[in-house]
Amino acid sequence: KLLSFQEGCYKPIVFVDQMAIHFELEGNLVHKESDEGRRLMAKQAEVDDGGGVERPDNVAIKAAKREQKLTNQFNFNERASQTLNNTPRVRGPTGYISELRLRWLNKKYDLTDFNSGIQKMTCILFSSRMRLISKAVKIIERMVNQNIFDDVAQDFMYFEDASDEFRGEKGTLLPLWTFQYDKAKSLSVTALCWNHKYNDLFAVGLGSHEFTQQGGGMLLFYTLKNPSYPEFIFNTASGVMCLDIHEHLSYLVAVGLYDGCVAVYNLKKKTDQPIYNSRASSGKHTSAVMQVKWQKDDLDSNHNFISVSADGRLVSWTLVKHELVFTEIIKLPVIDTIPDDLKDVIPTVGTSLDFHKQKDYSFLVGTEHGKIHKGSKYYSSKFLEKYDAHFMNVTRVKWNPFHPDVFISCGWDWMVKIWDQTMKSPVFTFELKTSVTDVAWAPYSSTVFAAVTTDGKVHVFDLNINKYEALCQQKVVSKKTKLFNIEFNPVHPIIIVGDDRGHVTSLKLSPNLRKKPKVGDALILCIGLQ
């Protein structure tokens, strides 16, 4: 019915265009207070009572209804009830997301053919399920390895060499685990670096220093929790010569290669390819990259690192979107003995690079000709200072982590030298009777450092105890094996050394080799006593 304003009442309308009748039933309503309503209610009551006779069971039911206890509105125990929580309503275009996901899978895996699509989808589901159990498998693998190497793990945690009490100031190195990978037997360890966040994890660069033995390289990551197999494996087109793990973003690793390329790997990515590569860059180094060092983010919050190469260039690399943007910092000066017509052809080979621990703009560069140059990132016209450090190749130069003016260097001329940057001559000089390939400061003392030599020995010094000879000279590898790299663990009292057979050996320092200096026994005192 529709209301007629003209007549003031509802008028029935049989049909209109916008109305569709689905059900129609004629009926009438009777008011319960009317005579007909009372008769119908009395008749219905007789039917319910069985023809007017009150049954005993019906009487009992009515009595129970009359005696029903009312709910106490102030007793919350009686009012308590348990209800089901309504299921949350999914808000969002789920249907569209499912359709887009299906189109993406179809585009990526070519699911147009039904049979091949079923096979590929099965592989996808299987791989996703394998990723779910990979963490549990890794934990079980570590447990098995810890059971196998339980004696080594016990030595790592608890063993302290009691014989140090009878050696005076001398100490020893206890061999722990040896890390090796079967596919890297023909390669040499060219770089080592501990992870700054996970103190049990370290990176190993594998390649070759020999020009005639160049080929592919590897980047491996080992953990002390599983010495039998690497945690991460990356194959490189050229040999790895250097690497550096970002101090804060521990999953970013910068790598320098023998062919002059630099690359950045992301451990979070499920791929064995670098996320950044300078291979297609016009500013790529033309010779082997000898050292890479991460820097603080620039003003645009972009990550960046600096490399030095055998082509004599220091280059800054900035990670911008999907490419590496290079900036030339400075070029190493050519030595005076080279003729003028060849100075543009023969570069000064940069071999080592390190940045000041407090003044991050100040850096040191070692060269193949034995010179050490001190420069600044903000002063690119020339170097600020030059030190005539060694007679042959400078293999490593490092700032002291505690003293702002002290750095250390080593070279093929058998020498390890400690310098004060305000002085032209070294403060300490140690001759190790064979080529010194690497040196490292201890993280727990300003006076402790260690060096490795090509005869397979590790030399540990503590200037606070003895300023003239090493506290430990120990051969840690077999005959005819050369040691190339050494690194102190930032927390645990161990060092790792890499050799020319692709092996990394971990060693624990005895108590005499890891004494922390007392207040006042700093490196300043040692230099003052010289």
Side-chain angles (χ1 to χ4, degrees):
K1 295 182 179 182
L2 294 177
L3 176 64
S4 175
F5 292 96
Q6 183 178 1
E7 301 179 7
C9 64
Y10 286 95
K11 300 188 67 176
I13 296 179
V14 179
F15 180 78
V16 293
D17 294 337
Q18 66 269 22
M19 182 177 67
I21 300 174
H22 298 282
F23 179 76
E24 184 178 358
L25 177 65
E26 294 183 1
N28 57 346
L29 297 176
V30 178
H31 200 279
K32 66 178 181 178
E33 299 296 335
S34 64
D35 295 338
E36 186 178 0
R38 291 191 184 96
R39 288 195 300 270
L40 290 175
M41 292 176 64
K43 186 177 180 179
Q44 184 65 33
E46 292 178 0
V47 174
D48 294 339
D49 295 339
V53 180
E54 192 78 15
R55 295 182 299 180
D57 55 348
N58 197 20
V59 174
I61 293 173
K62 289 185 177 181
K65 290 183 178 180
R66 287 195 299 270
E67 296 177 359
Q68 184 178 3
K69 184 179 179 181
L70 297 177
T71 303
N72 185 354
Q73 299 297 323
F74 300 97
N75 189 340
F76 293 96
N77 291 328
E78 294 182 2
R79 296 172 58 190
S81 63
Q82 292 183 352
T83 58
L84 295 175
N85 295 326
N86 295 328
T87 56
R89 301 177 64 181
V90 179
R91 297 181 180 180
T94 55
Y96 296 102
I97 294 175
S98 301
E99 178 66 21
L100 290 174
R101 186 180 293 113
L102 183 61
R103 291 184 181 181
W104 177 80
L105 290 172
N106 187 19
K107 181 179 179 181
K108 184 175 181 180
Y109 298 102
D110 189 18
L111 305 180
T112 53
D113 181 52
F114 181 78
N115 293 327
S116 63
I118 291 296
Q119 294 177 359
K120 292 177 181 179
M121 286 300 295
T122 303
C123 294
I124 295 170
L125 294 175
F126 178 75
S127 61
S128 63
R129 182 165 296 181
M130 289 299 296
R131 284 195 294 269
L132 293 176
I133 66 173
S134 61
K135 184 177 181 180
V137 172
K138 181 178 292 186
I139 293 174
I140 294 175
E141 182 184 13
R142 290 180 177 181
M143 293 171 62
V144 172
N145 275 278
Q146 288 182 11
N147 289 333
I148 295 174
F149 300 100
D150 180 66
D151 54 342
V152 182
Q154 295 294 329
D155 290 341
F156 165 70
M157 289 296 297
Y158 306 111
F159 180 77
E160 301 293 347
D161 194 350
S163 60
D164 272 15
E165 298 180 4
F166 308 100
R167 292 195 181 97
E169 60 186 26
K170 299 293 184 179
T172 58
L173 297 170
L174 175 67
L176 296 175
W177 301 281
T178 298
F179 302 85
Q180 55 186 350
Y181 184 49
D182 292 339
K183 296 183 180 180
K185 288 182 178 179
S186 60
L187 301 175
S188 299
V189 175
T190 54
L192 292 173
C193 185
W194 286 98
N195 192 294
H196 302 281
K197 183 177 181 180
Y198 303 99
N199 298 316
D200 62 295
L201 186 68
F202 63 92
V204 183
L206 295 161
S208 178
H209 296 281
E210 301 295 333
F211 175 77
T212 58
Q213 299 178 1
Q214 290 305 313
M218 283 187 179
L219 173 63
L220 305 179
F221 286 82
Y222 286 102
T223 174
L224 302 179
K225 299 175 182 177
N226 183 8
S228 63
Y229 198 79
E231 289 288 305
F232 300 94
I233 302 173
F234 299 96
N235 293 290
T236 58
S238 181
V240 176
M241 300 302 295
C242 56
L243 61 92
D244 191 28
I245 301 176
H246 199 283
E247 183 177 1
H248 304 293
L249 305 176
S250 58
Y251 53 87
L252 290 181
V253 185
V255 176
L257 305 177
Y258 189 87
D259 61 358
C261 293
V262 294
V264 178
Y265 289 85
N266 190 337
L267 301 185
K268 289 186 175 181
K269 301 291 184 180
K270 303 297 182 182
T271 176
D272 58 352
Q273 298 300 317
I275 58 173
Y276 294 94
N277 199 332
S278 68
R279 191 169 298 278
S281 174
S282 59
K284 184 179 78 71
H285 290 291
T286 57
S287 298
V289 181
M290 306 305 295
Q291 193 86 56
V292 289
K293 288 290 182 181
W294 284 104
Q295 304 294 296
K296 290 183 179 179
D297 293 352
D298 60 15
L299 297 178
D300 296 327
S301 299
N302 294 320
H303 309 316
N304 63 95
F305 63 94
I306 292 179
S307 62
V308 64
S309 169
D311 62 4
R313 298 164 54 223
L314 266 76
V315 179
S316 175
W317 302 92
T318 305
L319 283 60
V320 180
K321 293 184 178 180
H322 299 290
E323 64 176 345
L324 285 172
V325 178
F326 79 96
T327 303
E328 196 93 15
I329 295 180
I330 197 171
K331 192 170 184 179
L332 291 170
V334 181
I335 60 175
D336 299 333
T337 57
I338 296 179
D340 294 338
D341 56 342
L342 297 178
K343 287 186 176 181
D344 295 334
V345 180
I346 303 176
T348 299
V349 177
T351 58
S352 182
L353 171 69
D354 194 32
F355 283 83
H356 200 277
K357 307 309 177 188
Q358 290 81 33
K359 304 174 183 177
D360 56 357
Y361 56 86
S362 180
F363 60 86
L364 295 170
V365 182
T367 66
E368 188 180 41
H369 303 294
K371 312 296 182 184
I372 296 177
H373 299 274
K374 184 178 75 172
S376 173
K377 290 192 299 183
Y378 307 127
Y379 193 69
S380 59
S381 61
K382 66 178 182 177
F383 286 95
L384 305 179
E385 196 66 69
K386 183 181 74 171
Y387 305 91
D388 294 326
H390 296 269
F391 301 107
M392 300 176 69
N393 185 9
V394 177
T395 53
R396 190 70 68 199
V397 57
K398 285 187 176 181
W399 287 100
N400 188 282
F402 300 97
H403 197 288
D405 292 330
V406 175
F407 64 91
I408 193 171
S409 66
C410 62
W412 286 356
D413 59 355
W414 303 5
M415 300 293 181
V416 173
K417 297 183 179 182
I418 296 177
W419 302 78
D420 186 321
Q421 67 171 341
T422 62
M423 303 169 62
K424 284 289 188 177
S425 58
V427 179
F428 294 101
T429 300
F430 303 95
E431 183 179 343
L432 303 186
K433 300 180 180 180
T434 186
S435 298
V436 186
T437 52
D438 198 5
V439 68
W441 290 105
Y444 52 84
S445 174
S446 62
T447 60
V448 177
F449 66 91
V452 290
T453 52
T454 54
D455 60 353
K457 289 183 179 180
V458 177
H459 308 257
V460 183
F461 293 81
D462 189 345
L463 301 179
N464 188 40
I465 297 176
N466 193 326
K467 300 187 295 292
Y468 305 102
E469 61 181 7
L471 303 185
C472 176
Q473 294 185 18
Q474 185 172 326
K475 191 173 182 63
V476 299
V477 292
S478 59
K479 295 180 179 180
K480 298 181 180 180
T481 302
K482 300 177 181 179
L483 292 179
F484 283 154
N485 299 90
I486 183 171
E487 285 291 336
F488 280 86
N489 186 281
V491 175
H492 304 297
I494 64 172
I495 58 174
I496 51 175
V497 294
D499 58 38
D500 61 349
R501 299 189 179 184
H503 298 170
V504 178
T505 305
S506 58
L507 305 139
K508 184 175 183 180
L509 300 165
S510 67
N512 282 353
L513 302 181
R514 47 187 165 94
K515 292 180 179 179
K516 295 183 179 180
K518 299 178 182 179
V519 178
D521 291 340
L523 191 57
I524 302 176
L525 176 61
C526 295
I527 295 176
L529 293 175
Q530 176 67 13

